[in-house]
Amino acid sequence: MSDVEIMSGTNQLPYDEINVMDTLKKEFIKELGKDTWDELAANVEIPADNMEANHLNQVMREFMIHFERSVNSQKCREILCNVKHGLKKSDFSWAREKFLQYNDIDAFCSAMQRENLDGFTKAAKTGEFFHGQPIDDSVLQFVQEQPYILYGARDQNTIKAIAIPCETQKYLKETDVKLKKYYACHCPFAKKSILQEQGAVSDTLCNCSLGHTKIFWEAVLDTPLTGEVLSSVLGDGLLC
């Protein structure tokens, strides 16, 4: 069958309408109750989406310390995964429609990969931005060598996904580990913390990004899934 354009739907995701911390609060209260949230809020400043970045990351670091002290680790991960960057299954209805045109996971993943590689190849030639960043031959080569980049691909009964670094050109040139992690991170609630003296925000927060990937595939396959963060730059990894 001829390829159908898949990833253009990502341009329709309603990021401008989302308040991540409001979503986290709602998920927390749904799981643990308002009294538990109020107790947490009484002991720590609550981060807000519109805070200045350095301050936001400092506040998020303290919030996560108190969050993880107040709630068992599994429940912390579940709540954050359910935040999903504030996105809903319905935000990916377009992806389900595209999948049904293939009705095969591997064919769908191959089509996504080809589409993305075509976009990176074109951007490397024209100097255009793609996925929010400048693309050159080094970035193109990096993407070509990553079979699970972006929303990922199937590996037996698992979908593996790797986030493209936020600033890939700088990431690839950098040799300092801390700066390399900084250039990789996309999260406005944690990125600056990698360079702060107090250290990075807890990598438990990365379960929110896991939720983003998971809700995409739950929409595509129309079924609930489980997932796990295997590596992140807030932890010991150099990629997420």
Side-chain angles (χ1 to χ4, degrees):
M1 64 175 293
S2 61
D3 287 351
V4 295
E5 191 176 62
I6 299 170
M7 300 313 295
S8 60
T10 58
N11 297 324
Q12 303 167 22
L13 294 175
Y15 291 118
D16 292 343
E17 303 169 17
I18 291 169
N19 187 300
V20 173
M21 284 308 302
D22 279 355
T23 307
L24 173 56
K25 179 179 178 180
K26 290 174 183 175
E27 290 296 330
F28 187 106
I29 291 173
K30 183 172 72 176
E31 291 292 326
L32 300 172
K34 188 173 184 302
D35 288 346
T36 306
W37 174 265
D38 290 342
E39 183 179 344
L40 174 64
N43 292 311
V44 64
E45 184 178 1
I46 301 299
D49 288 46
N50 60 359
M51 285 179 173
E52 184 276 328
N54 277 298
H55 181 62
L56 173 59
N57 286 198
Q58 291 165 352
V59 172
M60 180 56 79
R61 181 190 297 106
E62 292 303 311
F63 174 83
M64 288 299 300
I65 290 170
H66 283 79
F67 183 25
E68 293 186 271
R69 285 175 181 169
S70 303
V71 184
N72 74 67
S73 59
Q74 179 59 33
K75 184 58 68 175
C76 282
R77 291 193 293 271
E78 289 176 3
I79 291 171
L80 286 163
C81 192
N82 285 335
V83 174
K84 318 182 267 288
H85 291 172
L87 297 167
K88 307 182 295 296
K89 187 176 176 181
S90 59
D91 293 323
F92 294 98
S93 57
W94 51 270
R96 173 66 176 172
E97 293 173 7
K98 298 297 186 184
F99 172 75
L100 290 174
Q101 296 180 52
Y102 292 92
N103 204 29
D104 178 275
I105 294 176
D106 293 331
F108 180 75
C109 290
S110 293
M112 280 200 300
Q113 186 178 45
R114 285 195 301 273
E115 188 177 319
N116 280 313
L117 286 176
D118 286 348
F120 281 108
T121 301
K122 178 184 176 184
K125 290 179 179 178
T126 63
E128 297 173 2
F129 272 43
F130 192 61
H131 283 279
Q133 58 182 295
I135 307 300
D136 61 11
D137 288 342
S138 69
V139 176
L140 177 60
Q141 181 179 345
F142 171 80
V143 172
Q144 290 170 331
E145 294 170 353
Q146 299 292 335
Y148 303 116
I149 204 74
L150 301 170
Y151 283 109
R154 187 178 71 87
D155 180 12
Q156 298 183 54
N157 67 340
T158 300
I159 298 290
K160 292 183 177 178
I162 295 176
I164 187 170
C166 182
E167 302 173 85
T168 310
Q169 285 185 4
K170 294 178 180 179
Y171 172 89
L172 292 172
K173 292 175 182 176
E174 188 55 63
T175 57
D176 180 85
V177 170
K178 186 178 289 189
L179 282 171
K180 202 171 187 73
K181 288 171 176 276
Y182 173 79
Y183 291 133
C185 187
H186 288 261
C187 181
F189 295 91
K191 182 181 179 75
K192 295 282 188 179
S193 74
I194 295 170
L195 303 182
Q196 290 173 347
E197 185 178 347
Q198 303 94 319
V201 169
S202 168
D203 60 353
T204 301
L205 182 62
C206 300
N207 282 275
C208 185
S209 293
L210 167 64
H212 181 169
T213 301
K214 190 163 79 76
I215 196 65
F216 171 83
W217 283 106
E218 287 178 338
V220 166
L221 302 175
D222 194 26
T223 190
L225 301 169
T226 59
E228 180 183 359
V229 177
L230 299 179
S231 171
S232 84
V233 298
L234 295 185
D236 295 331
L238 289 178
L239 284 170
C240 297

